[in-house]
Amino acid sequence: MNISAQYFDWAASAPQNPEIAAEALEIAQKYAANPSSIHRAGLEAREKLEEARKRCADVLHVKPECLVFTSGGTESNHIPLLSLLQKPVKGSIVISAIEHAAVREQALALERCGRRIIIAGCGKDGIVSADEVLKKCADDTELVCIMAVNNETGAVQPIYQIADALGTLKGRRPKLHVDAVQAAGKIPFDFSYPGINSAAISAHKIYGARGIGLLYTASRTESFLKGGGQEDGTRSGTENLFGIWSLMRCLETCAEKTVCTAAFEAQKEKTAFFIDALQKIPGCTIIPEARAARPDLYSPWIVQASFKGIPGEVAVRALSERGFYISTGSACSARKNKRPVLSAMKIDENTARSSVRFSFGSMQRQKDIEALIEAVREVNTLFGQKT
């Protein structure tokens, strides 16, 4: 794969695997008919689509009928939320304070439609506890949304514990939806774990095409948006076979259990080296500071750090001028200059303003990370607050 050794914004989007892209294009061109058509060409396209669904299911260890192809992680997060609009009784929704805008902003839109939104807070470590989620659940709570891995800090949330805890509630158990966009193909994650009702996946985070995603749903979801009835009525619209094949192949490449675990373990060593080097730079603070003592609670693919006296945007531009590409956080919120995740963690304003995110890909080498560290040291020397 021809990947820039100086690209460290993989959490925003990963470069496409050119071999997989070429294969997906070949499949899409060969099976160009609408998979819903009943003529032979349509049936052949449908056969390839269902083959892709089954192969995705095999990787994720779920049933094929539990998988719905969507336009990306955002839509996969929206479908469980919007499905609540089908219900006449307006129950409450619990979301964590660290959710991606795809969940947070859609939940706020539902709030304007009369749904009560309850926020489950996180600790200074960026982690939402099962006890906190239980405390926030009300008698009328219909849905709980907790992301698997935070896209800014890399904090891995205790999803299995939360799923177990929700099962102890008396009365009707609320459904649990998981934004797994930064988990699928990156950290070991069990989509079939009892109590996880739905989960979102995005292809372009794992070397796939943009505009394609996957929704795992343990039981059929009644979609609020209607149309031609594709994807068993959950997601209408002519299926994107190019994107679907790309997503399937990327899952096979990244999310297969032994492959994912091996890459995860290898990256932990590189990230430990990177964090240790950052901590030796004057004025640098790892966010959260507790990460150094408990690295097992964080994804090794994402590191958040703050450099005293250097606004995050300045650090991003200065490194970009030197050919290194990072971000201040979620690409979806970068132009809004807001950091709700850091606010939820009670990070002080100056530290938050000077924070940046480094995110990694499995093809990066130790020497690439060493080159990044040298560039960060140079920028810190030029722009950092002198003590």
Side-chain angles (χ1 to χ4, degrees), residues 81-150:
L81 283 160
L82 291 176
S83 70
L84 299 178
L85 294 175
Q86 297 281 98
K87 299 183 178 181
V89 179
K90 296 182 178 181
S92 62
I93 303 167
V94 174
I95 71 169
S96 82
I98 59 168
E99 293 302 304
H100 186 277
V103 170
R104 183 179 65 250
E105 295 299 324
Q106 189 59 64
L108 293 176
L110 288 175
E111 188 174 46
R112 293 190 288 272
C113 294
R115 286 297 194 285
R116 185 161 65 105
I117 305 301
I118 305 170
I119 306 297
C122 68
K124 290 184 178 181
D125 56 5
I127 294 174
V128 181
S129 70
D131 286 343
E132 169 67 7
V133 173
L134 278 189
K135 283 193 296 185
K136 297 297 182 173
C137 286
D139 291 339
D140 68 343
T141 299
E142 298 177 274
L143 181 67
V144 173
C145 297
I146 309 290
M147 68 194 327
V149 176
N150 184 260

Side-chain angles (χ1 to χ4, degrees), residues 281-286 305-312 315 348 350-356 379-387:
I281 297 176
C284 176
T285 300
I286 302 299
S306 179
F307 297 88
K308 191 172 183 179
I310 312 178
D348 72 84
N350 288 333
T351 301
R353 191 182 300 118
S354 297
S355 68
V356 293
V379 169
N380 189 68
T381 299
L382 288 173
F383 298 98
Q385 183 171 315
K386 304 299 186 291
T387 56

Side-chain angles (χ1 to χ4, degrees), residues 342-360:
L342 300 188
S343 296
M345 294 168 62
K346 295 182 172 53
I347 302 296
D348 72 84
E349 191 174 329
N350 288 333
T351 301
R353 191 182 300 118
S354 297
S355 68
V356 293
R357 179 185 70 184
F358 304 92
S359 52
F360 308 94

Side-chain angles (χ1 to χ4, degrees), residues 73 77 99-100 102-103 145-149 151 177-183 198-201:
N77 281 318
E99 293 302 304
H100 186 277
V103 170
C145 297
I146 309 290
M147 68 194 327
V149 176
N151 56 298
H177 173 70
V178 179
D179 177 349
V181 166
Q182 296 293 346
S198 56
I201 295 174

